[in-house]
Amino acid sequence: MKELLKNTLPFWNDLTEEEKNRLALQVMESSYEKGSVLHYGGRECAGVQIIRKGQARVFVTSPAGGEITLFRLLGGDVSILSAACMMRGLDIELDMEIEEDSVICTIPKILYKEISDKNAKVKDYTLEMISERFSDIMWLFNQYVFSNVASRLADSILEHRALGGTDNLTITHDALARDIGTAREVVTRLLKQFQTDGLVRLTRGHVEVLDAVKLGKV
């Protein structure tokens, strides 16, 4: 466990031996199957989470049930927003969908806050990570306001292409619609247009990228 914490927490070398030992002993490791959904917000404050292996999608849900994907977490990534409730005045509601069978290690919020309050390096890291995430989210919402749906769909397809390392994506129209916060029918219509334009090839449950360069210019 210490090796994982050392490799993922930039402030590890600035901790005392006692703090390192407490973290290593109290980290909770949990396994989640693909398709599991975790909720964070209000009183549901998990703590700081480290994706030991797997992949997860962090998203928000509208009152009407629509979803917008905020970002994805891969093996070795740290999810600081799962502990955001320990920041005074910060109240956010988030969900995490496990996209691959995953192992997640959680630093309990009480322990993390105690160490953060005593160690300036930990507090600086926490504030920096939260600031970076909210900057990413603000950029995303600017995209929703100022860019068109076709462009967002193209970006989502290219993101999945990069994550999978292949041009042949196993993904449904529903999943893409959740990614970009629109209706499945809109995604289906746009994908058919992409196919007509020679950018992708569609088969049931699959999207094959034929021209990534042109797709990135949509």
Side-chain angles (χ1 to χ4, degrees), residues 91-211:
D91 185 18
I92 55 176
E93 298 280 338
L94 297 172
D95 292 290
M96 180 190 292
E97 178 190 9
I98 306 301
E99 295 188 313
E100 296 177 0
D101 290 348
S102 300
V103 176
I104 299 178
C105 297
T106 303
I107 302 173
K109 63 178 180 181
I110 295 176
L111 174 60
Y112 189 86
K113 187 176 187 306
E114 181 183 329
I115 293 176
S116 177
D117 288 343
K118 293 179 180 178
N119 192 313
K121 293 287 188 180
V122 181
K123 180 168 287 187
D124 288 346
Y125 168 78
T126 304
L127 292 173
E128 181 181 349
M129 286 293 289
I130 289 177
S131 176
E132 285 183 4
R133 276 304 180 196
F134 274 100
S135 293
D136 291 343
I137 291 170
M138 287 304 299
W139 177 86
L140 177 66
F141 277 98
N142 281 334
Q143 291 293 102
Y144 275 82
V145 172
F146 298 113
S147 69
N148 60 50
V149 181
S151 178
R152 299 204 307 269
L153 177 58
D155 287 344
S156 179
I157 292 170
L158 291 174
E159 179 189 13
H160 284 284
R161 175 178 179 265
L163 288 170
T166 177
D167 286 325
N168 197 350
L169 311 178
T170 303
I171 192 166
T172 64
H173 296 194
D174 279 328
L176 289 168
R178 289 195 299 271
D179 261 6
I180 65 174
T182 191
R184 179 184 59 80
E185 294 77 12
V186 174
V187 168
T188 298
R189 175 173 54 80
L190 288 171
L191 284 175
K192 287 179 178 177
Q193 185 59 54
F194 287 176
Q195 181 168 249
T196 300
D197 294 340
L199 306 180
V200 302
R201 179 183 294 117
L202 305 176
T203 54
R204 187 174 181 82
H206 292 80
V207 176
E208 182 182 357
V209 177
L210 300 180
D211 195 327

Side-chain angles (χ1 to χ4, degrees), residues 61-66:
T61 306
S62 73

